[in-house]
């Protein structure tokens, strides 16, 4: 049963828009209202931290019985993992033409965009002086630090890559929506940017999809590996220092992101009545990918713990014992159980050549329980146990302020997602893929050369900006480990990456100019 539409005389939104776009039923409104209350609670919680200081949180000084990184950093890693999984699904679908994933590519990319926003807010919540962080990090980020890659590639480049993809991929559907509404036709016409659904346009769309997906996947693997290096290259921090840190981060990110996309896709399928669009075949593929990724991570987890328990130094062994048989053991074994159980269930489902959407959703929820707890176990125990110096063993328990802030941040992400599903179709429309054009396209050689020239100029400008900004940030030819030669060079690096990504939009958006009624395609 569809949701009722809120109307107001002649000012109402046309009912012809697909997938409930522009129609706000009572369930949607009630959910948004609840999320707004949670956001308000999060703001109130964080306000206590700003008013009274970190003393109202569970964070304390390392070596003095506490941990300076806690729930905020744990959830920063979690949200970035969600973004990784969403983009991986989107890029793999276009790189390898996985048609069963096409219905959820836009959904997965939206999950990625929202997750990056939440990750950035988590970083701001963790900083004692967030305004100073917002000013100094863009001005003085140093390439020798993994935080440079975390700031420029994750918060900057991956967010923009996902946003560019979302805009270009939605042009065809925007053109369809523009014909079904009068009130917001201008909005959809702007988004469509002259889309005519010609064969030449669709060919350019496929080319841009392929190359943008390849660039996005490469950027994301590098960026998330860099996030692993933040922990893995700290030789003075037992439990973090590990050659497996980067691959462990990447694999668990793919697992948790896939699990979240499964849950969101199932919710969209049920509440938005998309059973014909998001079929069982989609969940079958996601379920198989999930159990394979989970088994790979279990292998890495076993290698990590066995090495730390039997072949590491005393400090590393102390951290491993605290995790597997000490203060953090209950959390660790819950992680193991919530990874083994879904992997086993999905593998049995694979052997029986069947697919239960309910079982797949449960598996997606369980792996994310494991991911949240494991991120906590990565961040905290190395700060409270296994000190190289003669410091006492510490403890860390998040306070209600931290829980409230994280709940508020999560509610912000959910709120953005729910608003977006009312602005454009969450699943690509079938009719936007049907050509109404002539069998051949009219094209102008001059327009074709102009497109290639502007594309090349945009791409080369972006790459040159990246190289120059990176060199300025790294102080090549001068003293290392100092401030960038040009303050703001890290932002200039992000600008270069964004310009490079926009070259795909330049290539796709320049329209064809007719020359003759019938001519060769572009």
């Amino acid at each position: 049963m569809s949701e009722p539409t809120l109307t107001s005389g002649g000012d109402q939104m046309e009912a012809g828009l697909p997938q409930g776009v522009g129609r706000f039923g009572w369930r949607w409104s009630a959910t948004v209202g609840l999320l707004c209350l949670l956001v308000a609670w999060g703001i109130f919680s964080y306000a206590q931290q700003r008013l009274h200081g970190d003393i109202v949180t569970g964070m304390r000084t390392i070596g003095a019985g506490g941990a300076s990184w806690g729930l905020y950093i744990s959830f920063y890693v979690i949200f970035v993992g969600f973004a990784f999984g969403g983009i991986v699904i989107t890029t793999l679908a276009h790189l390898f033409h996985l048609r069963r994933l096409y219905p959820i590519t836009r959904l997965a990319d939206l999950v990625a965009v929202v997750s990056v926003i939440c990750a950035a807010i988590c970083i701001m919540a963790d900083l004692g002086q967030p305004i100073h962080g917002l000013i100094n990090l863009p001005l003085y980020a140093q390439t020798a630090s993994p935080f440079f890659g975390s700031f420029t590639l994750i918060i900057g480049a991956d967010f923009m890559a996902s946003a560019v993809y979302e805009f270009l991929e939605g042009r065809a559907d925007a053109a369809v929506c523009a014909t079904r509404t009068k009130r917001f036709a201008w909005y959809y016409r702007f988004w469509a940017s002259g889309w005519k659904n010609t064969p030449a346009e669709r060919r350019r769309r496929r080319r841009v999809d392929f190359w943008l997906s390849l660039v996005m996947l490469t950027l994301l693997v590098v960026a998330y590996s860099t996030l692993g290096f933040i922990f893995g290259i700290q030789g003075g921090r037992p439990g973090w220092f590990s050659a497996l840190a980067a691959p462990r981060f990447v694999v668990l990110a793919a697992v948790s992101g896939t699990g979240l996309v499964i849950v969101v896709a199932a919710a969209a399928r049920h509440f938005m009545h998309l059973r014909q669009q998001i079929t069982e075949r989609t969940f079958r593929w996601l379920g198989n990918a999930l159990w394979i990724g989970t088994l790979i991570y279990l292998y890495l987890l076993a290698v990590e713990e066995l090495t730390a328990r039997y072949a590491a130094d005393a400090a590393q062994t102390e951290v491993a014992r605290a995790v597997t048989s000490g203060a953090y053991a209950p959390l660790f074994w819950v992680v193991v159980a919530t990874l083994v159980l879904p992997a086993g269930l999905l593998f049995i489902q694979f052997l029986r050549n069947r697919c239960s959407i309910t079982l797949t959703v449960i598996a997606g929820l369980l792996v994310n329980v494991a991911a949240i707890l494991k991120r906590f176990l990565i961040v905290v125990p190395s700060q409270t146990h296994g000190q190289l110096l003669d410091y006492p063993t510490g403890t860390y328990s998040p306070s209600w302020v931290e829980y409230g802030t994280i709940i508020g941040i999560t509610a912000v992400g959910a709120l953005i997602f729910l608003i977006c599903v009312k602005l454009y179709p969450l699943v690509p429309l079938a009719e936007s893929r049907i050509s109404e054009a002539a069998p051949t396209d009219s094209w102008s050689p001059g327009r074709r050369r102009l497109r290639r020239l502007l594309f090349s100029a945009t791409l080369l400008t972006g790459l040159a900006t990246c190289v120059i900004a990176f060199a300025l940030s790294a102080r090549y030819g001068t003293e290392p480990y100092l401030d960038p030669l040009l303050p703001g060079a890290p932002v200039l690096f992000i600008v270069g990456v964004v310009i490079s990504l926009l070259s795909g939009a330049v290539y796709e958006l320049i329209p064809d100019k007719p020359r003759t009624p019938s001519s060769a395609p572009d």
Side-chain angles (χ1 to χ4, degrees), residues 3 5 97 157 207 315 323 334 349 359 374 396 398 415 426 467 508-509:
E3 294 183 349
T5 304
H97 306 292
R207 291 172 192 161
V323 170
V334 170
Q349 181 175 263
L359 179 62
K374 181 55 181 172
Y396 169 72
L415 193 59
L426 192 63
V467 172
E508 180 174 335
L509 292 178

Side-chain angles (χ1 to χ4, degrees), residues 193-208:
S193 304
W195 177 268
K196 302 298 183 183
N197 204 20
T198 64
E201 283 181 314
R202 294 197 299 275
R203 279 192 294 273
R204 291 200 301 274
R205 177 87 282 277
R206 288 193 294 268
R207 291 172 192 161
V208 172

Side-chain angles (χ1 to χ4, degrees), residues 148-165 211-212 215-220 222-223 455 458-470 473 488-506:
F148 179 89
S150 178
F151 167 65
T152 59
L153 295 180
I154 295 178
I155 303 300
D158 286 335
F159 174 79
M160 285 304 304
S162 298
V164 169
Y165 168 83
W211 289 107
L212 186 59
V215 171
M216 288 169 64
L217 186 61
T218 304
L219 277 176
L220 201 64
V222 173
F455 163 75
T458 306
L459 179 60
L460 292 176
T461 300
L463 294 177
T465 304
C466 288
V467 172
I468 294 172
F470 189 87
S473 297
V491 175
L492 189 61
F493 180 83
I494 295 178
V495 170
V497 174
V498 171
I499 293 174
S500 301
L501 293 171
L502 288 177
S503 63
V506 170

Side-chain angles (χ1 to χ4, degrees), residues 64-247:
S68 58
W69 282 1
L71 206 62
Y72 297 146
I73 297 300
S74 300
F75 269 84
Y76 164 71
V77 180
I78 290 165
F79 282 124
V80 174
F82 291 158
F84 181 91
I87 297 178
V88 164
I89 290 172
T90 300
T91 55
L92 291 181
H94 292 293
L95 285 174
F96 299 104
H97 306 292
L98 303 175
R99 296 188 179 278
R100 65 186 63 188
L101 295 183
Y102 283 175
I104 62 169
T105 53
R106 191 176 299 165
L107 178 151
D109 194 66
L110 181 57
V111 167
V113 172
V114 170
S115 298
V116 171
I117 294 173
C118 292
I121 300 175
C122 283
I123 289 294
M124 292 299 102
D126 184 71
L127 294 177
Q129 296 182 342
I131 301 301
H132 289 181
L134 285 173
I135 295 173
N136 292 327
L137 185 60
L139 290 178
Y140 305 115
Q142 170 57 253
T143 57
S145 169
F147 283 104
F148 179 89
S150 178
F151 167 65
T152 59
L153 295 180
I154 295 178
I155 303 300
D158 286 335
F159 174 79
M160 285 304 304
S162 298
V164 169
Y165 168 83
E166 197 80 1
F167 173 79
L168 295 178
E169 204 276 337
R171 290 179 63 216
D173 288 353
V176 173
C177 291
T179 64
R180 298 187 179 185
T181 178
K182 294 180 180 178
R183 182 178 178 184
F184 294 109
W186 62 271
Y187 160 70
Y188 291 113
R189 282 196 297 267
F190 172 78
W191 190 342
S193 304
W195 177 268
K196 302 298 183 183
N197 204 20
T198 64
E201 283 181 314
R202 294 197 299 275
R203 279 192 294 273
R204 291 200 301 274
R205 177 87 282 277
R206 288 193 294 268
R207 291 172 192 161
V208 172
D209 264 347
F210 176 84
W211 289 107
L212 186 59
S213 296
L214 185 61
V215 171
M216 288 169 64
L217 186 61
T218 304
L219 277 176
L220 201 64
V221 172
V222 173
Y224 210 73
S225 297
T226 302
L227 181 58
F229 293 149
I230 292 177
F231 297 88
I233 64 176
Q234 295 200 35
R237 183 60 55 194
W240 287 354
F241 184 58
S242 171
L244 291 178

